Every structure is written in structure tokens, then in C-alpha cells.
Amino acid sequence: MFGLIGHLTSLNHAQSVARDLGYPEYADQDLDFWCSAPPQIVDHIEVTSATGQKIEGKYVESCFLPEMLASRRIKAATRKILNAMAHAQKNGVDITALGGFSSIVFENFKLEQIKRVRNLELDFKKFTTGNTHTAYIICKQVEAGAPKHGIDLSAATVAVCGATGDIGSAVCRWLTARTGVKELLLVARNQERLSALQEELGFGQPTALEAALPQADIVVWVASMPKGVSVDLDSLKRPCLMIDGGYPKNLDTQFAHPDIHVIKGGIVEHSLDIDWHIMNIVNMDVPARQLFACFAESMLLEFEKWYTNFSWGRNQITLEKMDMIGAASRKHGFRPLLT
Ligand code: NDP
């Protein structure tokens, strides 16, 4: 049995979907209410692999909202994630993906130190961040998206916003070793971590976002930002490919220009319909088939019976593990979204 721990992108979003999920009593409530709401299993899922194998899973809504971090309600945020993990484990789930901000909260607030949730000892081997598969899918979106939009990778400058993060650093490792991109711009705020990454890669240039955007043929967005940033169309190259892997989205701008292309980053499409309801509420274009790559990672671990925290900790994603999860992804019928 696999599990997915998810959350909604904002209080507004949460209020608007509470009714759809069958919780009308949550629909008019403010942030305080969501801070005290317990986790709920809101979907039971059946997935069929391209090989014919079938697996079952549960979706746990943690009731975490990004506003909890923005308003410094750290205790509430951390409680949401730990309670959701305990809920998944108590309900017999073997491997659960920590979606969106769940793994970021887990890491930033060092929740591995708090193993006990009431009378339950959390077994961290039963959880994965899903970031190896997400990084792999984003790299494939770069490799396939570039030629589709007339960009030659060997002559391209690629900016990675969130380069020092777990997903960002893995994407940088792949771009450096596997693609022969001409230039790599490393964007994040902490200069020390940027220098360490540059040293590890032996490639790439730490660059501020405002300076990186006008130089980039491709921008990979994988920053952990509670809200999207707006980008001035005139500051971008033409053509420019943007791959937005943030959840909530890193980009707050819609571009109505034929040479600016935005791909939904870190999203996969399955080759068969999935029997679930949950992707209707996170605005997937084809909710029966499209999902976050981190969620798909827990499905892949269940299909392969790799009951281990495949993606864990920070900045430890190797190219070998990306190859391994990538092979499983293709075998079971997932492919990167290219729109
Ligand atoms: P991490 O916390 O590991 O890394 C975040 C990165 O963003 C760091 O490099 C951080 O560096 C940078 N960053 C944060 N704020 C800013 C800012 N204002 N400007 C520039 N850089 C910034 O996060 P993950 O790698 O785990 O996740 C990244 C994103 O991917 C998140 O939005 C997450 O929700 C999303 N995600 C998507 C998945 C999917 O399936 N599509 C799966 C999992 C995650 P610094 O603090 O130094 O600025």
C-alpha cells in the first residue's frame, strides 16, 4: 500500500475545495481553524501499471497551508506534517511520499529528531520525499522541451532558481554531467551554499535572479517560495523556456507570447487512467492521468516493492538513483509532461 501526503496551495484554495471533498464545515473557516484541523484520508486510489500490475494507495490531506510558514506558525506547520505521517503509518501504508512543502517543513525544522507522535514511533523508512523522481522528470522536461521550442542545449544558458535545494542541486548535477549545456546559472539567496554547489559541480556561476533572467534560454524554477514571483516579459530572451516545478507555482505570471513557453515542471502523465478524485482539485489538465512526480515516486516504490526511504535528507540525490527511478518510471508507464 502506498500513500501520498498532500496539502493545498493557499487558504483560499483550501476553502474553495473543502466543500468538494465533503467537508462543508471547513469551507468558511480561517487559518486558525486549519492550524488545528487533524489530517484526513480523503481518497482511496487504485493504479494500474503499463505492465498490468495493480496497486492501492491512500491520499492523506495534512491540512498544512503555506500561509502557516509566512505567518510564522511554525508549531502548527510542523504538527501538521508529523500528524499526517503518523496517520499514514497508523493506517498501514508501507511507503508514503511527502508532497510539496511537507518534506521542506520536515527538513527545515529537523523533524527527524521528533520520532514519537503520541503513542506511535515514526518509522522514517516508510517515507520518501519523492525528490529523486521529481528531479529526473524535470531534467527530462529540459532535454525534450528545449529542441521542441528551438533551443539547442549545447549552446544554451540554463538558470536554475533554487539551485542549492534538494531538487535544484540534483538538476544541476544532471545538467552538468549529462547534457553539455553551455552555461549554468545558479540562483538562490544563501551565498555560502551557492559557492559549495559551484565547487561540487566544478561548473556554473552563482547569479542573482534579476541578472540571470535576461541571460537564460531556459529557466528551471525549483525554489521553495510560499508565493509565486512576477516576471517582466521584456526581461526574457526569445525564445525562452520556463519549467516551473514549484508547488505552489514559483511563477506568478502568465505569458501570452509565442516565444515564451512555460511547462508544468515535475508533473508526469500516466499511460492509463487512475481511479482517484484528488487531482481534480489541484488544477491538473487531465486529472485522471496527470500527477506530481513526487507522488508517482511512492507508486513506483510500491510497484517495485522498494520499501525504503528512497529519497531522504538533503542534497544527496545521485545520478545513479535518478537513472534507477527513471527506468522504473518508464517501465510502469509514466512520462514527463511537455506542456
Ligand atoms: P529545498 O528547500 O530543498 O530548496 C529550496 C531552494 O529554493 C533552495 O535553493 C533555496 O535557497 C531556494 N530559495 C528559496 N526561496 C528563494 C527565493 N526567494 N529566491 C531564490 N531562491 C530561493 O526545496 P525542494 O528542492 O525540496 O523543493 C523545491 C520546490 O519544488 C518547492 O516549491 C516544492 O514544493 C516543489 N516540489 C515539487 C514536486 C513535484 O512533484 N512537482 C515534488 C516536491 C517538491 P535559499 O534559501 O538560499 O534562497
Side-chain angles (χ1 to χ4, degrees):
M1 168 88 67
F2 70 90
L4 314 171
I5 292 179
H7 64 82
L8 298 164
T9 56
S10 67
L11 179 61
N12 275 345
H13 186 204
Q15 289 169 331
S16 76
V17 301
R19 211 165 263 119
D20 297 345
L21 285 179
Y23 297 93
E25 67 277 21
Y26 285 30
D28 302 318
Q29 301 286 353
D30 61 9
L31 192 61
D32 282 342
F33 174 87
W34 287 84
C35 284
S36 58
Q40 310 270 354
I41 291 177
V42 295
D43 214 353
H44 295 266
I45 308 162
E46 197 175 287
V47 192
T48 306
S49 158
T51 65
Q53 186 185 349
K54 282 188 196 307
I55 54 170
E56 283 182 49
K58 295 180 197 286
Y59 184 93
V60 182
E61 169 55 54
S62 68
C63 295
F64 165 83
L65 293 172
E67 282 95 337
M68 291 173 193
L69 294 182
S71 61
R72 305 294 302 156
R73 293 185 200 214
I74 306 304
K75 262 204 171 140
T78 55
R79 227 179 29 237
K80 300 278 119 190
I81 305 310
L82 288 169
N83 285 344
M85 292 169 76
H87 199 56
Q89 192 174 315
K90 244 184 350 211
N91 280 275
V93 179
D94 298 297
I95 186 76
T96 299
L98 301 177
F101 266 72
S102 315
S103 70
I104 294 169
V105 169
F106 187 92
E107 286 299 330
N108 288 359
F109 301 106
K110 305 197 181 339
L111 299 188
E112 77 278 358
Q113 293 168 1
I114 312 175
K115 279 195 105 173
R116 202 158 187 87
V117 180
R118 289 177 296 278
N119 59 350
L120 186 118
E121 184 88 354
L122 281 175
D123 178 359
F124 294 143
K125 285 241 155 16
K126 290 180 182 285
F127 298 90
T128 185
T129 64
N131 285 349
T132 311
H133 190 227
T134 304
Y136 167 81
I137 290 297
I138 290 174
C139 292
K140 290 289 146 188
Q141 290 176 310
V142 172
E143 289 176 357
K148 184 175 171 205
H149 296 297
I151 298 168
D152 172 7
L153 269 186
S154 66
T157 296
V158 183
V160 178
C161 179
T164 52
D166 197 35
I167 300 170
S169 61
V171 168
C172 289
R173 270 175 222 122
W174 182 285
L175 293 178
T176 301
R178 297 277 175 91
T179 59
V181 295
K182 185 161 165 254
E183 275 196 72
L184 182 62
L185 306 179
L186 312 173
V187 181
R189 295 163 304 178
N190 183 301
Q191 295 304 315
E192 227 169 277
R193 284 200 290 265
L194 281 168
S195 301
L197 176 67
Q198 184 188 31
E199 199 176 310
E200 179 207 319
L201 298 171
F203 187 55
Q205 198 52 48
T207 311
L209 180 61
E210 307 69 46
L213 289 178
Q215 299 179 57
D217 301 287
I218 300 174
V219 187
V220 175
W221 296 89
V222 280
S224 52
M225 299 192 279
K227 270 181 143 183
V229 293
S230 48
V231 169
D232 177 13
L233 174 75
D234 294 331
S235 70
L236 301 176
K237 270 185 150 176
R238 320 276 164 90
C240 180
L241 171 63
M242 315 267 238
I243 298 177
D244 188 354
Y247 182 82
K249 294 264 156 253
N250 283 174
L251 271 175
D252 193 29
T253 315
Q254 309 242 338
F255 301 98
H257 189 284
D259 289 330
I260 312 293
H261 311 280
V262 181
I263 292 180
K264 291 182 181 169
I267 307 290
V268 287
E269 183 158 315
H270 192 41
S271 48
L272 297 165
D273 282 359
I274 298 175
D275 182 13
W276 62 2
H277 308 288
I278 203 69
M279 288 298 134
N280 287 316
I281 63 168
V282 284
N283 300 326
M284 293 292 170
D285 294 332
V286 186
R289 292 193 175 200
Q290 294 175 356
L291 62 148
F292 299 103
C294 63
F295 286 170
E297 181 171 307
S298 75
M299 297 174 184
L300 294 170
L301 299 181
E302 174 71 25
F303 276 131
E304 293 294 327
K305 301 277 179 280
W306 293 338
Y307 291 139
T308 175
N309 44 0
F310 190 85
S311 309
W312 204 240
R314 274 299 181 258
N315 297 24
Q316 305 193 1
I317 298 175
T318 60
L319 298 180
E320 291 70 29
K321 284 187 106 171
M322 289 169 78
D323 284 334
M324 195 172 161
I325 205 75
S329 183
R330 294 190 301 276
K331 169 180 164 188
H332 292 289
F334 293 97
R335 61 173 185 78
L337 206 67
L338 285 182
T339 53

